[in-house]
Amino acid sequence: ARNALIRQVSEAFPVSEAFGGVPSLNSLPVNNGTLYGEPVELRISLTVLRISEISQKSQTFKMHYIIDWLWRDCRLLMDCDWVKVTDKHDSFSKFWTPSFRIEEMEDDNKDMSLQQHVLWGHGWDMFMEEHVSIFRCSFDFTDMPFDVQTCTLKLYLPHTQLSVVKLVWSEIVANEITNAEWLIEHPSDWQRSELIRSISSPFGDVRVSVIQAEFNLKRRPNFLLKNFMYQVASFYLLSWVGLWIDVSAVPARAAIGIIPVLVTSNKLSAFAAIIPPISYLTRMEMFMDVTLVMITLHMIEFGMVHFAGRQYKKIVRDTTQVQAWEGDADKVLPYAAIDELPRHAKAYVAAIIFIHLSLDKHMRWVSPAAYVLAIAIILA
């Protein structure tokens, strides 16, 4: 009896004669408004079941969701309260279903797709379809790791003019949606809007009805902070400690200078691997770049001090006018000898003396001061 009723309803019996012999319901709905030239109003509810696999590399996310459509169709008038027709029923194809498109959709898992009609005896069709789809979302990594991404979903019926179908939001609902790396805005707080846009067609531009949902993904920064920023900052601290090691301890000073440079370079490469190729800098990248520059300067400074030390000893050895102070050549300040040098050599000798005796001492406070100031500007 149920199947017979579904067949009768699908063939628009007994109102087929009143509407000129409608063979089935596989056409746009008919109601009081459409008889007077008004568009069919489709009310849409979105239920978000899960958002997962948020990929910043491919700038996509997977969403499991249900779309509920509701429209009035006088051809559905019947004595029964309601009848359910699933996509497994033979007569399912005889009922009209909206052929929609979500502009940001990259892929749709057909194996997870479910559809069904709930036909109400007073002439309403509640059509439900369940999907698992992958959507694209244009990420902006400028503020990474404290970035907030805005994703948009735009749904419309292609090649169906606004004068024929009008889409209207009903609601967006969901349970609490969680993710390990991202804080997902609750669907009830998503921004909903109803738009009109023009779409090109072989017969010119077509104005269609569009509904749009917009929501935010706020990054939980702990993962990036622990795996990148904190570690890179510790590499800077290790390199800075090297400034306190005597320059004559060449193996120790060289190791503590070069190892942080190499490890920080590897961290930069690892960071580049988790984001797509972009042509602009992020806060995270600027932080690591500044750190790499500072620890590289520490290594360059060591080379300068080491070279100046050897040149200083040569100057002391070759200058007969210098009197050694308690036999310690490193404490000799050969200013008298400088006065006896040719004018073009005075600046070179003065620079050697300053680098050998003072550069390490000044670098110990200039470097952290400059580093802290640069990081404060980047993270401000």
Side-chain angles (χ1 to χ4, degrees), residues 300-324:
I300 294 174
E301 186 266 353
F302 163 65
M304 293 173 61
V305 173
H306 184 67
F307 172 79
R310 289 186 285 110
Q311 293 298 308
Y312 182 84
K313 292 178 180 179
K314 182 179 179 181
I315 292 172
V316 171
R317 185 176 62 251
D318 296 344
T319 304
T320 58
Q321 298 180 25
V322 176
Q323 301 296 322

Side-chain angles (χ1 to χ4, degrees), residues 57-234:
K57 182 72 173 180
S58 60
Q59 302 184 66
T60 59
F61 63 91
K62 179 186 286 188
M63 186 168 75
H64 186 187
Y65 59 101
I66 297 173
I67 299 179
D68 290 302
W69 305 76
L70 180 65
W71 64 84
R72 185 94 187 244
D73 193 342
C74 293
R75 299 170 297 181
L76 298 175
L77 293 171
M78 56 183 170
D79 292 335
C80 294
D81 288 339
W82 60 273
V83 178
K84 181 186 293 185
V85 185
T86 69
D87 53 4
K88 307 300 181 183
H89 197 278
D90 295 338
S91 298
F92 181 82
S93 61
K94 294 184 177 181
F95 293 88
W96 180 79
T97 57
S99 179
F100 72 94
R101 178 182 299 167
I102 298 179
E103 189 171 290
E104 293 75 15
M105 184 184 293
E106 295 284 327
D107 191 21
D108 187 47
N109 189 346
K110 301 299 182 183
D111 295 333
M112 296 288 291
S113 179
L114 297 174
Q115 295 179 322
Q116 71 175 24
H117 289 273
V118 178
L119 311 174
W120 297 90
H122 46 58
W124 287 89
D125 189 341
M126 182 181 293
F127 176 61
M128 183 275 289
E129 48 188 328
E130 183 175 351
H131 295 271
V132 176
S133 307
I134 295 176
F135 299 95
R136 67 178 180 273
C137 178
S138 181
F139 281 30
D140 182 0
F141 298 99
T142 302
D143 292 329
M144 189 176 184
F146 308 106
D147 50 326
V148 178
Q149 307 299 338
T150 300
C151 299
T152 304
L153 301 174
K154 293 186 284 291
L155 184 149
Y156 62 97
L157 275 59
H159 311 304
T160 304
Q161 298 185 30
L162 176 63
S163 59
V164 178
V165 171
K166 180 182 179 181
L167 304 181
V168 179
W169 270 120
S170 180
E171 60 180 353
I172 302 178
V173 297
N175 294 325
E176 192 69 28
I177 300 176
T178 59
N179 183 272
E181 187 177 3
W182 297 90
L183 181 63
I184 305 171
E185 185 178 11
H186 194 275
S188 61
D189 297 324
W190 292 10
Q191 299 296 316
R192 295 175 293 166
S193 55
E194 299 168 8
L195 312 172
I196 299 174
R197 64 181 302 182
S198 296
I199 298 179
S200 299
S201 72
F203 305 100
D205 291 343
V206 177
R207 297 172 75 242
V208 299
S209 179
V210 180
I211 58 171
Q212 175 176 290
E214 189 175 273
F215 64 97
N216 292 328
L217 301 174
K218 184 177 181 180
R219 187 188 300 276
R220 302 177 191 268
N222 290 345
F223 174 80
L224 294 179
L225 291 176
K226 289 187 295 185
N227 287 276
F228 289 95
M229 298 188 76
Y230 294 162
Q231 293 187 25
V232 170
S234 68

Side-chain angles (χ1 to χ4, degrees), residues 188-363:
S188 61
D189 297 324
W190 292 10
Q191 299 296 316
R192 295 175 293 166
S193 55
E194 299 168 8
L195 312 172
I196 299 174
R197 64 181 302 182
S198 296
I199 298 179
S200 299
S201 72
F203 305 100
D205 291 343
V206 177
R207 297 172 75 242
V208 299
S209 179
V210 180
I211 58 171
Q212 175 176 290
E214 189 175 273
F215 64 97
N216 292 328
L217 301 174
K218 184 177 181 180
R219 187 188 300 276
R220 302 177 191 268
N222 290 345
F223 174 80
L224 294 179
L225 291 176
K226 289 187 295 185
N227 287 276
F228 289 95
M229 298 188 76
Y230 294 162
Q231 293 187 25
V232 170
S234 68
F235 300 152
Y236 168 82
L237 183 61
L238 180 65
S239 178
W240 177 76
V241 170
L243 298 176
W244 298 83
I245 298 177
D246 193 283
V247 72
S248 61
V250 176
R253 187 73 181 264
I256 206 169
I258 195 63
I259 290 176
V261 173
L262 298 176
V263 178
T264 303
S265 298
N266 288 336
K267 279 293 179 181
L268 273 167
S269 299
F271 174 72
I274 66 173
I275 60 174
I278 55 177
S279 58
Y280 55 89
L281 289 175
T282 67
R283 288 191 179 189
M284 174 82 75
E285 190 175 6
M286 286 189 288
F287 172 82
M288 291 193 288
D289 284 342
V290 167
T291 303
L292 182 61
V293 168
M294 295 302 298
I295 59 180
T296 301
L297 286 177
H298 292 174
M299 191 62 193
I300 294 174
E301 186 266 353
F302 163 65
M304 293 173 61
V305 173
H306 184 67
F307 172 79
R310 289 186 285 110
Q311 293 298 308
Y312 182 84
K313 292 178 180 179
K314 182 179 179 181
I315 292 172
V316 171
R317 185 176 62 251
D318 296 344
T319 304
T320 58
Q321 298 180 25
V322 176
Q323 301 296 322
W325 179 40
E326 296 181 357
D328 190 348
D330 284 345
K331 295 182 180 179
V332 174
L333 298 178
Y335 295 120
I338 295 177
D339 292 336
E340 299 298 327
L341 292 174
R343 181 179 301 176
H344 66 273
K346 289 182 179 180
Y348 173 77
V349 174
I352 290 295
I353 296 172
F354 173 79
I355 293 172
H356 173 65
L357 298 178
S358 304
L359 186 58
D360 248 359
K361 178 173 61 177
H362 290 297
M363 194 67 171

